Amino acid sequence: MSSFSLEPASIHDGDDILAMLNEIGRGENGFHNHAYNLTWKEYKAYLNHCERNSKGLSLDKGHVQQTTYWFRQDSYPLGVIKLRHELNDSLRRQGGHIGYSMRPSERGKGYGKVMLQAVLNPARALGLDKVLLTIFISNIASRKMVERCGGVLERSEGGICYYWIELTTSQL
Ligand SMILES: CC(C)(COP(=O)(O)OP(=O)(O)OC[C@H]1O[C@@H](n2cnc3c(N)ncnc32)[C@H](O)[C@@H]1OP(=O)(O)O)[C@@H](O)C(=O)NCCC(=O)NCCS
């Protein structure tokens, strides 16, 4: 039986993660992949940046503390998911607590729901009692995925759906 895991980005990550990030491309539907088409040296600098951001260090202007996780099935990387430790006004409008992308060759297999469920544990460990997800109205796969994970639509405005997932102990 296969097992799924989430692990935070680390300077020690290898070419399997880089291959996944290249397959994901520049990003879509509001998800930005800053690690597309990088040289090895640039990739290592990116990983260092992720590690530091996870500790609240070297944050870009207007950014909050954020941990980037790789989602794996056994050892194979399937996707990336970013957890913002808090919201600011910009994230409240667009971005929310959580952003993600599955590598295109592994989409539509149910893994997105597993990945999102998995990140709710570290979110809870941060002391968050609910998380915000902002999703373009047209992004049906992402909306379904969030709804399957308990997301409740608060409102839709300006082409964006605002979903909250309550992090109750019953989801542990
Ligand atoms: C959103 C995304 C992570 C979903 O990952 P996934 O592994 O394909 O999702 P799942 O297979 O778990 O499917 C989740 C739900 O969406 C449905 N779904 C999947 N792909 C779909 C599609 N292309 N059209 C409509 N529904 C779709 C599934 O049937 C499932 O619903 P169900 O529970 O009713 O069966 C993936 O499509 C992706 O990486 N998209 C690009 C990046 C992106 O949009 N990020 C989100 C920004 S808010």
Side-chain angles (χ1 to χ4, degrees):
M1 217 176 79
S2 62
S3 77
F4 295 99
S5 61
L6 268 192
E7 73 189 37
S10 146
I11 187 74
H12 302 296
D13 289 322
D15 52 10
D16 57 343
I17 296 293
L18 183 59
M20 174 187 72
L21 292 166
N22 280 326
E23 185 182 326
I24 285 172
R26 289 184 198 287
E28 59 205 287
N29 301 325
F31 176 86
H32 302 286
N33 175 17
H34 301 288
Y36 175 63
N37 215 7
L38 300 184
T39 63
W40 187 256
K41 199 173 160 193
E42 289 166 339
Y43 168 57
K44 288 288 160 177
Y46 163 79
L47 293 172
N48 185 42
H49 196 64
C50 291
E51 250 195 70
R52 290 183 63 77
N53 280 186
S54 182
K55 296 172 186 152
L57 303 170
S58 306
L59 298 174
D60 294 334
K61 192 168 183 292
H63 283 203
V64 302
Q65 192 169 351
Q66 167 181 281
T67 305
T68 300
Y69 293 95
W70 316 128
F71 176 64
R72 293 181 190 264
Q73 181 180 34
D74 300 324
S75 61
Y76 187 68
L78 298 176
V80 50
I81 188 158
K82 302 173 186 175
L83 173 62
R84 263 78 76 169
H85 297 207
E86 61 183 309
L87 295 177
N88 59 20
D89 287 345
S90 168
L91 291 169
R92 257 180 222 103
R93 276 193 303 277
Q94 193 180 336
H97 283 103
I98 298 172
Y100 43 77
S101 188
M102 192 61 60
R103 66 194 303 167
S105 56
E106 301 293 341
R107 290 180 190 169
K109 300 180 182 178
Y111 297 144
K113 289 177 278 187
V114 183
M115 178 169 74
L116 180 56
Q117 279 292 346
V119 90
L120 300 182
N121 288 318
R124 212 176 277 114
L126 289 177
L128 299 173
D129 54 8
K130 58 181 183 171
V131 286
L132 174 68
L133 295 104
T134 69
I135 306 174
F136 291 156
I137 286 181
S138 56
N139 193 352
I140 304 300
S142 186
R143 290 179 57 191
K144 278 191 180 174
M145 176 179 139
V146 169
E147 286 166 9
R148 297 288 180 267
C149 292
V152 174
L153 182 65
E154 178 192 57
R155 68 185 199 283
S156 73
E157 201 177 299
I160 297 177
C161 294
Y162 295 82
Y163 285 95
W164 289 93
I165 301 179
E166 296 279 343
L167 302 178
T168 58
T169 46
S170 60
Q171 288 170 326
L172 278 170

